[in-house]
């Protein structure tokens, strides 16, 4: 009897745990949607929810336009692309950050650890210096982001030592090299025209996003995210460290290469359309870990959902906080640093 | 299962740390490695596990050379029990044990129902089912060591390799872990373990290998190899081997330091 009752209560508590889990899953999935609906009416050009719904419905159903044409332009050419870009970049940086934190066995790692952002920043500065235009800036930034990480990888593979440690050191080296390159370009750039353009670009912003940019970034971000998502359970094993993971049967060399390739693709593509946006890839995985635990099976989807909602919210602030746009990168740092401190102070156990 | 090392030489880069190692371990045997720090115990383990490359000789499993086996295939035969340490993230105990299933899963798969059953069986074998939902980083060192043994069992290997897995544990936990190891050997697993204590070899091993400067000093039955002369030569200290008659036990031998 006693045993039966005990088992009964055990299945019960398991059922509740499962139930809690379901609810958390639903809440997390709803989060980006809610933030999306909340964000749409916000901005320089106010749009009422009713107007918005009619405009959106008119895309599908034949409704005669009763609104000014400007409104439609604002919705489809300006606001929607910008919001989608914010969600895309937020999800991308959170994914890359979460994957890197596992691979480097270190919760303080962010997506730019191997020099992707520094390289992308250099590429953008170079393109602005040579007046290459928007597409030129994006392409150059993306390619230099890949190049920086490629050099990091090439450098690290020449040294026979603890592969993870060497990667970090090589990444710091490449990051420094490309940042100095950026500084050099800024120093020689025309101080009235090019210099401010480079500086503003580096601060990160989504103000100038066009519909085309969203499509451009979507492809590499999807291509990079999909393998990480599929392999996510193995990231747990990778986080145990080189020898343990290998003795458990994991081909660590191959998985590490895949993680680096995918994360670099994601990060370089994000930086190319948004500029430098710091702290997202660092704090979102922590927040997700606090909510769903460290198992990548749940952690990665949670990081993607929270990341997209978070950057959209911060971009709302950038849009409406003051009469002048605040660069997004500045806001993410201002919010990110104290938020990170809060997470650390409230960590229930060791690293959250 | 029969693991055979033939004239194995290995080390890091161009340095050779162990050479001419030959040994055989079969199902149900517990081989204990004794040797001073730097004698090559860890290097030998890493070589068997395929973590460092052979410089010479052969490692055979049931007669088959394993040097070209992929990682997952090796892991389905050999389980490694490292010293308990802190992973960077606070995984649940059950999740840690489930990671033992890596070698049985496809690249994009996560553990399913059957893997869960295997993991639970491994946890029950070590009598730690009460830890299942605890956080791995919050339990004691002894408990963590048992969890790592459970993880290695979840690999369903034929051979377990333990590198001084008890050296960070208190007295009681050392004996607990070692008695589990002995029981696993009785269940048919082959076990290779390294230890700093001659007593462990005397009490728990069926075979002992003494390593000195990367070479086999002697190999054989514990009561024949763990002798006062051999330990003096290996560690440079004077010890006495004492025989004790304990009621209900076979003759027990222990190693005690000699006072001066």
């Amino acid at each position: 009897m006693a045993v039966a009752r005990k088992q009964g209560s055990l299945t019960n508590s398991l059922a509740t745990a499962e139930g809690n889990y379901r609810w958390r899953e639903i809440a997390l999935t709803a989060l980006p949607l809610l933030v999306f609906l909340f964000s749409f009416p916000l901005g320089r050009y106010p749009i009422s929810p009713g107007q918005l719904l009619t405009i959106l419905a008119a895309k599908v159903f034949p409704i005669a336009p009763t609104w000014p044409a400007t409104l439609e332009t604002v919705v489809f050419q300006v606001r929607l692309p910008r919001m989608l870009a914010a969600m895309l970049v937020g999800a991308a940086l959170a994914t890359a950050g979460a994957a890197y934190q596992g691979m480097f066995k270190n919760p303080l790692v962010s997506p730019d650890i191997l020099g992707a952002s520094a390289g992308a920043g250099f590429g953008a500065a170079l393109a602005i210096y040579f007046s290459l235009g928007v597409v030129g800036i994006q392409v150059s930034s993306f390619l230099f982001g890949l190049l920086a990480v490629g050099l990091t990888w090439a450098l690290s593979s020449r040294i026979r030592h603890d592969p993870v440690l060497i990667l970090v050191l090589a990444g710091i080296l490449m990051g420094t090299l490309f940042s100095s390159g950026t500084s050099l370009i800024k120093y020689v750039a025309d101080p009235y025209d090019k210099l401010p353009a480079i500086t503003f670009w580096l601060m990160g912003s989504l103000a100038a996003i066009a519909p085309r940019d969203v499509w451009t970034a979507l492809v590499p971000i999807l291509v990079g995210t999909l393998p990480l998502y599929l392999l996510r359970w193995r990231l747990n094993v990778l986080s145990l460290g080189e020898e343990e993971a290998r003795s458990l049967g994991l081909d660590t060399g191959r998985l590490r290469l895949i993680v680096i390739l995918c994360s670099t693709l994601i990060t370089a593509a994000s930086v190319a359309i948004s500029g430098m946006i710091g702290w997202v890839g660092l704090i979102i995985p922590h927040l997700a870990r606090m909510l769903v635990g460290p198992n990548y099976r749940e952690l990665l989807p949670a990081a993607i959902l929270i990341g997209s909602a978070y950057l959209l919210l911060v971009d709302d602030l950038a849009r409406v906080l003051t009469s002048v746009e605040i660069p997004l990168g500045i806001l993410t740092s201002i919010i990110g640093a104290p938020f990170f401190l809060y997470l650390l102070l409230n960590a229930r156990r060791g690293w959250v | 299962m029969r693991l055979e090392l033939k004239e194995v030489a290995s080390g890091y880069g161009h340095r050779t740390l162990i050479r001419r190692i030959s040994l055989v371990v079969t199902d149900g045997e517990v081989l204990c490695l004794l040797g001073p720090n730097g004698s090559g115990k860890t290097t030998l383990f890493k070589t068997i596990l395929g973590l460092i490359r052979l410089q010479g000789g052969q490692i055979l499993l049931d007669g088959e050379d394993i040097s070209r086996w992929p990682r997952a295939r090796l892991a389905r035969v050999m389980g490694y029990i490292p010293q308990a340490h802190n992973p960077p993230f606070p995984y649940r105990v059950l999740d840690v044990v489930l990671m033992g299933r890596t070698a049985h899963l496809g690249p994009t798969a996560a553990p399913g129902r059957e893997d869960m059953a295997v993991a639970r069986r491994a946890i029950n074998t070590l009598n730690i089912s009460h830890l299942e939902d605890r956080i791995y980083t919050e339990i004691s060192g002894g408990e963590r060591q048992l969890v790592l043994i459970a993880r290695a069992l979840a690999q369903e290997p034929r051979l377990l390799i333990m590198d001084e897995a008890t050296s960070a544990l208190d007295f009681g936990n050392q004996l607990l872990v070692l008695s589990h190891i002995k029981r696993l050997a009785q269940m048919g697993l082959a076990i290779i373990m390294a230890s700093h204590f001659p007593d462990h070899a005397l009490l728990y091993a069926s075979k002992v290998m003494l390593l000195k400067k990367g070479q086999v000093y002697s190999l054989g039955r514990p009561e024949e190899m763990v002798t006062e002369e051999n330990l003096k030569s290996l560690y440079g200290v004077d010890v006495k081997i004492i025989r004790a008659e304990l009621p209900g036990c076979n003759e027990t031998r222990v190693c005690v330091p000699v006072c001066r």
Side-chain angles (χ1 to χ4, degrees):
Chain A
M1 259 315 264
V3 175
R5 200 176 311 132
K6 200 178 165 199
Q7 259 174 357
S9 76
L10 197 70
T11 20
N12 246 340
S13 75
L14 276 179
T16 2
E18 203 95 314
N20 283 341
Y21 178 68
R22 275 259 143 253
W23 276 114
R24 214 164 39 193
E25 213 171 41
I26 294 168
L28 277 177
T29 316
L31 181 72
L33 289 174
L34 290 176
V35 176
F36 184 83
L37 292 178
F38 163 81
S39 307
F40 222 128
L42 300 177
R44 287 291 94 200
Y45 200 112
I47 307 167
S48 75
Q51 271 177 322
L52 177 65
L53 281 178
T54 344
I55 294 178
L56 289 177
K59 276 277 159 186
V60 189
F61 305 108
I63 301 175
T66 56
W67 51 84
T70 346
L71 203 58
E72 200 168 323
T73 314
V74 169
V75 168
F76 290 110
Q77 299 301 311
V78 182
R79 200 157 295 173
L80 190 61
R82 178 166 182 175
M83 288 168 60
L84 289 179
M87 296 177 87
L88 193 61
V89 171
L93 293 175
T95 307
Y100 270 0
Q101 287 178 6
M103 189 177 98
F104 290 105
K105 302 179 284 177
N106 190 332
L108 285 176
V109 161
S110 59
D112 36 23
I113 181 105
L114 296 186
S117 304
F122 174 80
L126 202 65
I128 296 171
Y129 182 78
F130 286 113
S131 318
L132 289 188
V134 185
V135 179
I137 294 172
Q138 284 177 1
V139 170
S140 162
S141 156
F142 180 67
L143 291 181
F144 273 98
L146 299 188
L147 177 73
V149 179
L151 288 174
T152 299
W153 176 264
L155 192 67
S156 74
S157 60
R158 300 206 155 258
I159 304 168
R160 289 167 65 94
H161 200 282
D162 176 358
V164 172
L165 178 68
I166 293 298
L167 258 180
V168 174
L169 294 179
I172 293 173
L173 206 104
M174 280 304 151
T176 310
L177 209 60
F178 278 98
S179 311
S180 333
T182 308
S183 300
L184 187 68
I185 297 173
K186 283 165 88 173
Y187 183 71
V188 295
D190 176 355
Y192 298 103
D193 172 17
K194 303 280 172 60
L195 180 58
I198 294 173
T199 310
F200 288 138
W201 192 93
L202 289 175
M203 284 176 184
S205 171
L206 293 169
I209 289 288
R212 188 188 43 79
D213 301 332
V214 180
W215 291 112
T216 321
L218 187 66
V219 177
I221 288 178
L222 277 186
V223 168
T225 305
L226 195 68
L228 290 179
Y229 193 83
L230 290 175
L231 294 167
R232 67 189 188 280
W233 185 78
R234 307 219 137 199
L235 294 175
N236 293 320
V237 185
L238 194 61
S239 82
L240 298 176
E242 181 74 8
E243 281 182 357
E244 231 171 297
R246 288 175 68 193
S247 73
L248 287 171
L250 194 72
D251 188 342
T252 51
R254 192 190 301 166
L255 184 57
R256 208 168 31 233
L257 183 62
I258 294 175
V259 171
I260 292 176
L261 277 176
C262 293
S263 302
T264 304
L265 208 57
I266 293 172
T267 310
S270 304
V271 177
I273 63 161
S274 68
M276 304 276 216
I277 292 175
W279 287 89
V280 179
L282 180 61
I283 60 170
I284 298 304
H286 281 264
L287 192 59
R289 214 171 279 126
M290 215 169 175
L291 289 172
V292 301
N295 191 336
Y296 275 92
R297 207 170 171 180
E298 287 98 36
L299 175 64
L300 206 65
I304 289 174
L305 294 169
I306 300 174
S308 63
Y310 173 79
L311 201 61
L312 184 53
L313 269 179
V314 178
D315 191 48
D316 286 348
L317 290 179
R319 269 157 47 190
V320 299
L321 210 54
T322 59
S323 55
V324 191
E325 266 280 336
I326 306 172
L328 187 54
I330 295 180
L331 274 182
T332 53
S333 306
I334 291 179
I335 298 169
F339 188 52
F340 190 60
L341 188 66
Y342 166 82
L343 287 181
L344 289 188
L345 291 175
N346 285 278
R348 276 169 304 154
R349 45 199 178 224
W351 290 104
V352 281
Chain B
M1 199 256 354
R2 177 189 157 95
L3 175 80
E4 183 173 8
L5 271 65
K6 277 185 180 170
E7 296 284 313
V8 162
S10 157
Y12 300 91
H14 295 294
R15 282 199 309 157
T16 303
L17 294 179
I18 53 172
R19 61 184 90 231
R20 271 187 280 146
I21 309 264
S22 296
L23 64 89
V24 174
V25 190
T26 55
D27 291 334
E29 272 190 326
V30 179
L31 169 69
C32 184
L33 252 61
L34 289 177
N37 291 334
S39 58
K41 300 189 293 287
T42 302
T43 311
L44 178 56
F45 281 158
K46 287 186 180 173
T47 310
I48 297 176
L49 286 161
L51 297 175
I52 50 180
R53 255 192 337 178
L54 274 182
Q55 292 174 342
Q58 265 188 319
I59 302 178
L60 306 170
L61 242 161
D62 290 330
E64 200 181 333
D65 192 326
I66 61 170
S67 58
R68 293 190 180 282
W69 282 21
R71 286 247 54 92
R73 187 170 176 200
L74 278 176
R76 287 195 289 269
V77 182
M78 303 180 198
Y80 173 56
I81 305 168
Q83 275 189 37
H85 56 79
N86 260 339
F89 304 112
Y91 293 113
R92 247 185 351 148
V93 165
L94 183 61
D95 286 334
V96 172
V97 177
L98 277 171
M99 292 191 212
R101 300 299 295 161
T102 309
H104 296 268
L105 296 168
T108 60
R113 253 172 212 292
E114 274 174 45
D115 302 298
M116 196 74 96
V118 175
R120 289 234 158 86
R121 251 199 327 271
I123 287 173
N124 287 334
T125 307
L126 294 159
N127 300 324
I128 48 168
S129 42
H130 55 286
L131 296 176
E132 208 179 276
D133 287 316
R134 297 276 302 280
I135 303 299
Y136 178 79
T137 45
E138 287 175 352
I139 59 180
S140 77
E143 291 170 332
R144 264 182 240 165
Q145 200 63 62
L146 294 176
V147 172
L148 291 185
I149 297 176
R151 186 182 72 185
L153 287 183
Q155 271 176 257
E156 300 185 301
R158 309 294 309 279
L159 168 75
L160 279 183
I161 294 179
M162 296 177 69
D163 192 2
E164 287 162 27
T166 59
S167 60
L169 302 183
D170 69 42
F171 183 65
N173 276 322
Q174 284 196 5
L175 298 188
L176 179 71
V177 167
L178 287 168
S179 65
H180 274 302
I181 290 301
K182 196 165 188 175
R183 204 158 55 87
L184 293 173
Q186 282 158 2
M187 287 162 62
L189 277 164
I191 286 157
I192 307 181
M193 63 181 213
S195 178
H196 282 310
F197 298 100
D199 285 348
H200 290 170
L202 288 169
L203 289 169
Y204 300 101
S206 54
K207 222 186 225 179
V208 64
M209 185 163 114
L210 305 182
L211 264 179
K212 193 177 180 183
K213 290 180 183 156
Q215 300 206 36
V216 180
Y217 182 76
S218 69
L219 175 66
R221 283 155 45 86
E223 52 275 27
E224 286 163 16
M225 295 304 147
V226 183
T227 60
E228 289 156 11
E229 305 79 64
N230 280 351
L231 292 177
K232 166 90 181 166
S233 156
L234 216 56
Y235 295 103
V237 291
D238 290 314
V239 294
K240 272 263 175 255
I241 304 291
I242 309 283
R243 287 154 217 246
E245 297 282 347
L246 303 179
C249 294
N250 299 331
E251 186 192 72
T252 306
R253 291 168 191 238
V254 286
C255 166
V256 290
V258 174
C259 58
R260 286 186 185 272

